[in-house]
Amino acid sequence: MSQFQFVMRSGPTPGVTFPLEGDQILIGRDASNGVAINDAEISRKHSRLSFQGGKYVLEDLGSTNGTFVNGQRLAGPVVLKPGDVISLGEQIVLMYDAINIDPGATVAVSRKAVRVEPPPIQASAPAYTPPPASYGPPSTPVVKKTNLTPIIIGVGALLFICMCAGFFFWVDATYRWCIFFPFISGC
């Protein structure tokens, strides 16, 4: 017989174990949830676990910061497997574990979270990569806007200088100095 639990890897209380009991377990910031995690990144009713066919199924309840399983944001219900890494937002990381229990043993279970030191992470296990900082559809690359005012002023000044030079060249080439500039001596 197996019992399931979450072990908090990172968040407000690392090492805390949350025994999972029942057919429907809500996860969120609200104290009435079966798994209550008091953190600003967590929605009041963040996600839900449903026990179906001897396995827990996790689904996001429209949370603001998202629910992730092994780095992938949930788009629908996902069946959990022992060893799965569940992330709620960017900072809260839970490890999903199955505990084998001797059916003949007497077990006292508390509904409260119990602090347990997390087992060391094995070197052969792949390192956890947190989900990307931004959520939602992939964003387009950020385009840096350039201030065009100095460019426009520079092009305008250059155009003005070229027009003036062209005008004076034409006046000089056609001997029209006295027509355009009668105040010049010698006209």
Side-chain angles (χ1 to χ4, degrees), residues 3-85:
Q3 178 182 348
F4 301 97
Q5 67 181 7
F6 280 144
V7 178
M8 185 175 288
R9 292 290 188 179
S10 67
T13 52
V16 168
T17 300
F18 298 93
L20 304 178
E21 302 167 349
D23 293 335
Q24 295 281 324
I25 302 169
L26 290 175
I27 302 168
R29 192 174 66 233
D30 194 290
S32 66
N33 292 321
V35 176
I37 302 171
N38 188 13
D39 190 272
E41 278 196 19
I42 308 292
S43 299
R44 280 188 220 75
K45 304 279 187 210
H46 197 93
S47 49
R48 174 179 39 228
L49 282 170
S50 303
F51 196 69
Q52 300 172 7
K55 298 180 180 183
Y56 274 106
V57 177
L58 179 65
E59 62 183 310
D60 187 79
L61 297 176
S63 65
T64 303
N65 293 321
T67 303
F68 299 80
V69 174
N70 300 324
Q72 298 295 313
R73 188 171 187 152
L74 294 187
V78 171
V79 176
L80 295 179
K81 300 178 294 305
D84 281 347
V85 176

Side-chain angles (χ1 to χ4, degrees), residues 129-165:
T129 304
S134 64
Y135 300 107
S139 61
T140 56
V142 177
V143 178
K144 184 178 178 183
K145 293 186 177 183
T146 304
N147 186 0
L148 295 178
T149 305
I151 295 170
I152 293 171
I153 291 172
V155 168
L158 185 62
L159 187 61
F160 179 75
I161 291 169
C162 289
M163 287 175 57
C164 289

